[in-house]
Amino acid sequence: MTRVGRLRRQAALPIAVLTASVVLMPGSAAGMARGGANSELSARLAELAKPAVRSAPPAKQAAILDAAPSGPGSLLRDGNRVLVDVRFDHGAVAGVDALRDAGAKILHVSVRYQTVTVAVAPSDLHDVAAVPRVDGVTENLAPIVSAACPAGDVVSEGDLQLKAADARSTYGVDGSGVTVGILSDSFAKTTTPTSIADNVASGDLPGAANPCGHTTPVDTTGDTYGGSDASDEGRAMAQVVHDLAPGAELAFASAFVSVSSFADNIRALASAGAQVIVDDIIYLDEPFFQEGPVAVAVNDATADGAAYFSAAGNNNLIVGGNNISSWETPQFRGGSSNICPPSLVATFSFVSDCLDFDPSHGTDGDFSIVVSNGATLTVDLQWAQPWNGVTSDLDAYLLDSSGSVVAASASDNVGLTGKPVEIFSWDNTSGTSQTVSLAIDRCFGICNPNADVSSPRVKFALLQNGSGVTSTEYPQSLGGDIVGPTVFGHSGAPNAMSVGAIRFNTSSAPESFSSRGPVVHYFGAVSGTTPAPPLSAPQVISKPDLVATDCNVTNGFFGDFPPFRFCGTSAAAPHAAAIAALEIDAATSTLSPATVKEALRDTADPVGGSDACAVGAGIVNALDAVGEIVSPGVGPSSAFCLPPPSPPIPEPPAPVQASTAVPTAKPQTFIALHPARTIFIRKRGKRLVFRFRSDPAGAQFLCKFDQAPFRLCPKKVTRWFGLGRHVVQVKARDAEGSVDPTPAVFRFRIVSVRLRSRHHRSHP
């Protein structure tokens, strides 16, 4: 049984707040107590510091802490140490020695944000939290590296697809005199299947032994991250840049360790003279609703003259023609414990005010998600309040079909983290697809005396790397709620060029996983430790800016055997950055970052019938972009991405006046959520979830399962079904007693995998 969440502080007296200990809850997982001996520790770190947890294997720790076992959302580690941010109320630099004395290894110090990133053994966490002036100690989760990993041979196909080869031959440019800075996980930490020496000898990277005369090696002084998950993706990006702009000099710095370290490495590359900078990293806690520390660093680099490019992300999901990867509501709809799932209230007594996901006239306290077998569901919940000015405390819980809590994230956002964000991951290891439900509670009063009951804008994203979720309960924008956009963080900043992905062998559509825009900001940038003020009006930022090649061949990445292919927006971003280097090479005077970017946008080619929210201005055209620098004349791009339309909720029909001439309309019934029509399982049965709707809303429901009679049932039913064929019928009954004469019907079957395999076995 997975251990999840943590128990909220509960009051024995109105003025006394006590921290509950971890206990096993009937029918649910165990909770993680907030804080502990040091309330400055986050809930995860307080749990990790316990002897029984810190001595467990990493995979077991991840399950206990509701963190991903590896990849995005997992704990960043340095050997047996975990990477954490130590936030001071003041005097962060002065606290460094005390942190060392407490057993911490200093990795980065940010004076701007009064934060020290350290690697610390779990057994020393309480000592670190006890250092004077420490306000909070929070874990660093592995960021999103925007690559997908298939397989494939060695000059990127993007050289032809984006017309970079034509630009070089037509205008005599190759990026000479331009330095391109690259940020990713690492550059020179692996040697298989190829080493840097191999890449240089084959001409895929510059260096002393390069056979093409590009003898200046990549500057790797910033290659400082050596964790076990270092994959040298920065080297794959460098190969792309070298393919398209072979004369450019290259420099690399790691974007791992922490947000503040990433930001400072951006500034370091710009200060060292990089005219183009590109990254493929997105931290999960980068803000949705304002520019965070990394975006501020992008602004600084742009002000220093560097054109900045970032991977848009691989987080789009398309189901039934809808982009379903995010859900957003203009304000927290709540105010009643009746909205909350009953099993959640029974498990955690402090849960009392859940978000109503239904934008119409009904109520719905949970959001159903169908997760594929073997997939990791990662939920990133944020709300529109500024960093360091959080007043609302929202918590996220994931329930299985029986109502048990299987994952949760419930930090003290007001008093500890200062960030309006909750993140959790859950692995579906059941052997079959599972329907789970997300519930979001607003924690205040006894739950968190420091939190208020304001109703901020709420958004969550399913960060799935393009797969793993096959259905969501609310797949379309409606009534002010918005579904779809997943570009966020610094890639959504106005000064960054957000680059989506289009496969190397097509020009008709972007990759389905390539994140969609737009981005909307409500607050100023996170420029220090004080909260930024709200903007005078929401800022709608059209993202992505354009698309470029992915799934191109490389020399030795993403597979055990050649041909090696590099997929995802991680591959797309360096393609666009390389063409920016060609533009700068072609200029007869210094180019501003704005001019570089405008030329790319204004000359981009259309991508089939795709709109700006999917492809921005279109696919990069290097020949025309460089030509625009040499001889300006193309008009500005008109592509702009706006939030998807959210149709209003229709008002319920007015009651029909009694009349002998006009009969009362019968209600209509719909099955809004149901499983697949054929379900393969390894057991003798399965619990399934159905949700019903009526027109008009607010009707009662009568349900009939197989041969049983019609009986009253709720609008959401969870029921066990055995092997074989089944039929579900439901009909609505309105307040006047009228019943739908034509029930909604759903037929399906449940098949045993073992029986099916035996029936289809080949015969000799």
Side-chain angles (χ1 to χ4, degrees):
M1 182 177 292
T2 306
R3 294 160 57 93
V4 301
R6 55 101 179 92
L7 294 179
R8 283 283 187 179
R9 291 188 283 187
Q10 302 184 57
L13 295 172
I15 59 173
V17 180
L18 304 178
T19 301
S21 59
V22 176
V23 295
L24 288 173
M25 294 294 182
S28 78
M32 287 189 291
R34 174 188 293 190
N38 297 102
S39 61
E40 290 79 7
L41 286 178
S42 72
R44 279 195 179 100
L45 295 182
E47 190 74 5
L48 180 61
K50 295 177 180 178
V53 179
R54 70 188 187 227
S55 61
K60 179 65 174 176
Q61 290 178 354
I64 294 170
L65 303 176
D66 292 337
S70 62
S74 63
L75 293 177
L76 279 177
R77 299 178 183 268
D78 180 357
N80 294 324
R81 298 169 180 250
V82 291
L83 273 58
V84 303
D85 278 340
V86 184
R87 183 164 56 92
F88 286 78
D89 58 9
H90 69 280
V93 174
V96 165
D97 288 341
L99 290 173
R100 286 197 181 97
D101 292 342
K105 175 183 175 182
I106 309 301
L107 300 179
H108 183 261
V109 179
S110 173
V111 176
R112 182 187 298 234
Y113 298 104
Q114 288 296 298
T115 299
V116 181
T117 303
V118 304
V120 57
S123 58
D124 292 331
L125 283 167
H126 286 301
D127 291 339
V128 167
V131 168
R133 302 185 307 283
V134 167
D135 252 0
V137 183
T138 54
E139 64 276 10
N140 278 325
L141 300 179
I144 298 170
V145 180
S146 299
C149 303
D153 245 2
V154 221
V155 167
S156 168
E157 293 92 340
D159 195 38
L160 296 179
Q161 184 185 35
L162 306 181
K163 303 179 182 178
D166 290 342
R168 291 196 305 274
S169 62
T170 300
Y171 295 105
V173 294
D174 65 358
S176 293
V178 182
T179 298
V180 178
I182 299 167
L183 296 117
S184 187
D185 60 340
S186 62
F187 190 90
K189 305 301 182 184
T190 66
T191 58
T192 54
T194 60
S195 67
I196 290 178
D198 297 331
N199 299 158
V200 172
S202 65
D204 291 298
L205 284 178
N210 181 284
C212 304
H214 303 297
T215 57
T216 303
V218 179
D219 181 352
T220 59
T221 54
D223 187 19
T224 56
Y225 181 71
S228 59
D229 52 351
S231 67
D232 284 4
E233 191 155 309
R235 184 149 40 113
M237 296 171 70
Q239 288 188 12
V240 170
V241 176
H242 191 62
D243 282 344
L244 274 65
E249 295 187 6
L250 306 179
F252 177 82
S254 178
F256 271 45
V257 178
S258 68
V259 165
S260 58
S261 173
F262 181 10
D264 283 349
N265 279 347
I266 291 172
R267 296 186 182 94
L269 287 173
S271 297
Q275 297 106 308
V276 180
I277 301 176
V278 58
D279 78 77
D280 71 336
I281 297 298
I282 306 169
Y283 277 83
L284 280 68
D285 60 348
E286 288 190 63
F288 290 174
F289 300 111
Q290 66 183 137
E291 294 185 30
V294 181
V296 172
V298 171
N299 296 340
D300 293 343
T302 302
D304 283 345
Y308 200 95
F309 295 80
S310 183
N314 302 337
N315 295 309
N316 193 56
L317 292 163
I318 302 178
V319 175
N322 298 311
N323 300 316
I324 64 166
S325 288
S326 71
W327 182 91
E328 180 177 0
T329 187
Q331 64 177 17
F332 186 96
R333 295 187 293 260
S336 170
S337 61
N338 295 331
I339 299 175
C340 299
S343 62
L344 181 60
V345 176
T347 302
F348 299 115
S349 61
F350 48 78
V351 171
S352 62
D353 187 16
C354 291
L355 173 65
D356 176 12
F357 291 98
D358 190 341
S360 65
H361 307 288
T363 58
D364 185 0
D366 57 13
F367 184 103
S368 296
I369 305 166
V370 180
V371 183
S372 304
N373 177 47
T376 297
L377 175 70
T378 297
V379 176
D380 188 343
L381 166 67
Q382 300 197 29
W383 53 102
Q385 291 181 335
W387 277 28
N388 304 313
V390 179
T391 61
S392 297
D393 188 351
L394 305 188
D395 298 330
Y397 300 92
L398 192 71
L399 293 78
D400 64 15
S401 58
S402 69
S404 297
V405 178
V406 294
S409 182
S411 304
D412 177 0
N413 308 98
V414 178
L416 177 65
T417 70
K419 299 177 184 178
V421 58
E422 296 285 357
I423 301 164
F424 68 75
S425 296
W426 172 74
D427 287 328
N428 179 11
T429 58
S430 66
T432 186
S433 292
Q434 292 292 311
T435 299
V436 291
S437 298
L438 173 68
I440 299 172
D441 178 55
R442 179 169 53 183
C443 171
F444 63 93
I446 290 176
C447 177
N448 187 344
N450 297 316
D452 63 21
V453 291
S454 58
S455 299
R457 189 175 197 89
V458 179
K459 177 176 181 176
F460 67 81
L462 308 177
L463 305 180
Q464 294 304 115
N465 206 31
S467 64
V469 168
T470 59
S471 177
T472 58
E473 184 174 357
Y474 296 95
Q476 293 177 291
S477 301
L478 183 65
D481 294 352
I482 295 174
V483 176
T486 49
V487 177
F488 72 98
H490 68 281
S491 188
N495 282 326
M497 286 289 276
S498 179
V499 186
I502 185 168
R503 200 169 183 85
F504 70 92
N505 56 358
T506 184
S507 60
S508 60
E511 295 278 24
S512 61
F513 56 72
S514 188
S515 290
R516 270 54 168 177
V519 173
V520 183
H521 287 166
Y522 294 85
F523 300 92
V526 183
S527 57
T529 59
T530 57
L535 300 175
S536 58
Q539 180 186 21
V540 180
I541 307 163
S542 182
K543 295 291 173 178
D545 290 280
L546 32 77
V547 293
T549 306
D550 86 317
C551 280
N552 56 283
V553 289
T554 63
N555 187 350
F557 289 92
F558 312 113
D560 295 325
F561 303 99
F564 304 106
R565 291 200 174 274
F566 182 18
C567 289
T569 55
S570 282
H575 280 93
I579 293 167
L582 299 182
E583 292 180 73
I584 296 171
D585 184 11
T588 56
S589 60
T590 301
L591 287 185
S592 70
T595 302
V596 172
K597 297 171 185 176
E598 286 166 7
L600 288 169
R601 277 190 291 252
D602 295 346
T603 60
D605 291 332
V607 178
S610 300
D611 64 15
C613 294
V615 300
I619 185 172
V620 175
N621 182 325
L623 179 63
D624 288 353
V626 175
E628 177 69 5
I629 297 301
V630 174
S631 180
V634 177
S637 168
S638 60
F640 196 88
C641 170
L642 292 172
S646 186
I649 298 295
E651 290 297 322
V656 177
Q657 299 297 321
S659 169
T660 57
V662 182
T664 303
K666 301 294 185 182
Q668 292 183 297
T669 316
F670 308 93
I671 300 178
L673 176 68
H674 58 74
R677 294 190 182 276
T678 302
I679 303 167
F680 299 104
I681 61 174
R682 297 182 181 277
K683 300 180 181 179
R684 308 303 294 182
K686 180 177 176 61
R687 295 180 70 87
L688 301 176
V689 179
F690 292 83
R691 191 183 293 276
F692 312 124
R693 293 192 184 280
S694 64
D695 183 14
Q700 292 179 314
F701 294 101
L702 300 168
C703 298
K704 176 179 173 64
F705 299 98
D706 296 329
Q707 302 305 314
F710 278 100
R711 292 191 176 93
L712 279 175
C713 61
K715 72 174 185 179
K716 180 178 179 181
V717 172
T718 302
R719 183 181 176 91
W720 190 91
F721 293 87
L723 298 175
R725 297 183 181 275
H726 300 278
V727 58
V728 176
Q729 302 179 63
V730 58
K731 51 189 177 182
R733 182 171 68 188
D734 64 19
E736 286 72 38
S738 296
V739 177
D740 185 351
T742 56
V745 180
F746 180 77
R747 292 180 172 84
F748 65 100
R749 62 176 182 151
I750 301 179
V751 179
S752 169
V753 173
R754 286 170 291 188
L755 292 175
R756 179 172 177 267
S757 298
R758 184 162 59 248
H759 292 160
H760 289 79
R761 183 176 300 150
S762 299
H763 296 285

